[in-house]
Amino acid sequence: MCVQSHSKGFTAWLSRKFYPWMLQHNTLYEEFMGQRKQKLFKNLSGVVIEIGAGTGANFPYFEDEIEYVGIEPHEQIREVLKSEVSKRHFKSAKILNASAEYIPLEDNTADVVISTLVLCSVPNVNATLKEIHRILKTGGRLIFVEHIAAHEDTFLLKMQKFVKPVWRKLIDNCHPDRRTDIALKSAGFKSVNFEEFTVPIPVVSPHIAGIAVK
């Protein structure tokens, strides 16, 4: 019992330290994704809600003339996000301490919702997508970059399932084998279009990037 308790305590401490550090030092991933993000986030306008906003890694791709709302439940990360948003020149900006499953905004609020590497870690992906659908205006867009489970009967999928228990503890409940692509297609959007591609991090490859329209 004592050994298990210490083990759980150490894992929780490591997660609290490692995850925020990783978000602030993932420059290689951002360099790899730069051109794709630039294309996805081109010409954003209106009210832009970013769930799991992290430390503001997507800010360099956003237009200044947007009304930005960042949703971030992690206290330590949220403080970094507040600091980063203060350096921007958005038309307006606010940071909310909230879960993506329960967004404290009215129906039909957002022109755009952005999710990058978030749907993998929310407790209930279907509830989250329902909430995103609720806050989007008709014709509004969910722009996403997410990793998904590898294809069936592959070594990569077996590896994802094997590392998942430890991976979830270290990377803020991230599920490397979640079928987010299927969840998106079943979430009631008028259209869902994305491309699938590989990234040089096997546990979180393949990726999908695209747009769902309400």
Side-chain angles (χ1 to χ4, degrees):
M1 289 292 292
C2 184
V3 173
Q4 285 184 336
S5 177
H6 283 304
S7 176
K8 290 179 180 178
F10 175 74
T11 302
W13 175 86
L14 185 60
S15 177
R16 288 196 303 271
K17 296 294 183 181
F18 177 72
Y19 182 59
W21 179 89
M22 183 196 71
L23 287 182
Q24 291 183 272
H25 297 83
N26 61 348
T27 53
L28 290 178
Y29 176 82
E30 288 302 325
E31 288 176 6
F32 178 84
M33 292 296 300
Q35 289 186 342
R36 187 170 269 106
K37 283 189 175 185
Q38 193 170 39
K39 181 180 178 181
L40 278 172
F41 302 142
K42 186 178 181 180
N43 299 324
L44 291 182
S45 62
V47 179
V48 176
I49 315 295
E50 184 174 22
I51 64 168
T55 57
N58 292 326
F59 284 174
Y61 309 102
F62 295 169
E63 301 286 343
D64 285 341
E65 290 301 310
I66 64 171
E67 299 171 59
Y68 178 80
V69 181
I71 308 294
E72 178 50 62
H74 193 296
E75 182 178 3
Q76 184 176 349
I77 295 170
R78 193 167 60 250
E79 291 307 308
V80 177
L81 181 64
K82 289 178 180 178
S83 175
E84 291 301 314
V85 82
S86 70
K87 302 172 187 176
R88 305 297 302 183
H89 298 91
F90 297 139
K91 187 176 181 179
S92 66
K94 58 182 176 180
I95 307 301
L96 301 180
N97 175 14
S99 163
E101 293 172 295
Y102 304 101
I103 301 173
L105 297 171
E106 295 182 0
D107 297 359
N108 307 307
T109 295
D111 295 287
V112 177
V113 173
I114 290 174
S115 173
T116 56
L117 304 184
V118 177
L119 298 178
C120 58
S121 60
V122 294
N124 188 323
V125 67
N126 293 321
T128 298
L129 288 170
K130 183 177 180 180
E131 188 73 340
I132 290 171
H133 195 276
R134 179 187 69 80
I135 67 170
L136 274 171
K137 298 175 182 177
T138 300
R141 297 174 295 156
L142 165 62
I143 303 177
F144 56 88
V145 178
E146 299 288 346
H147 65 84
I148 60 173
H151 295 287
E152 293 294 334
D153 301 320
T154 62
F155 173 77
L156 182 53
L157 180 60
K158 292 177 182 178
M159 182 180 72
Q160 289 174 336
K161 291 180 180 297
F162 178 75
V163 304
K164 181 167 71 171
V166 174
W167 190 262
R168 285 181 61 191
K169 287 183 171 63
L170 292 179
I171 314 295
D172 197 40
N173 197 44
C174 173
H175 293 65
D177 62 344
R178 180 171 278 178
R179 293 308 308 266
T180 301
D181 51 337
I182 293 175
L184 281 160
K185 291 177 180 179
S186 305
F189 289 98
K190 181 179 179 180
S191 65
V192 179
N193 295 288
F194 57 79
E195 61 174 328
E196 181 178 322
F197 56 98
T198 60
V199 298
I201 310 172
V203 177
V204 292
S205 188
H207 267 38
I208 56 173
I211 298 173
V213 178
K214 179 177 177 181

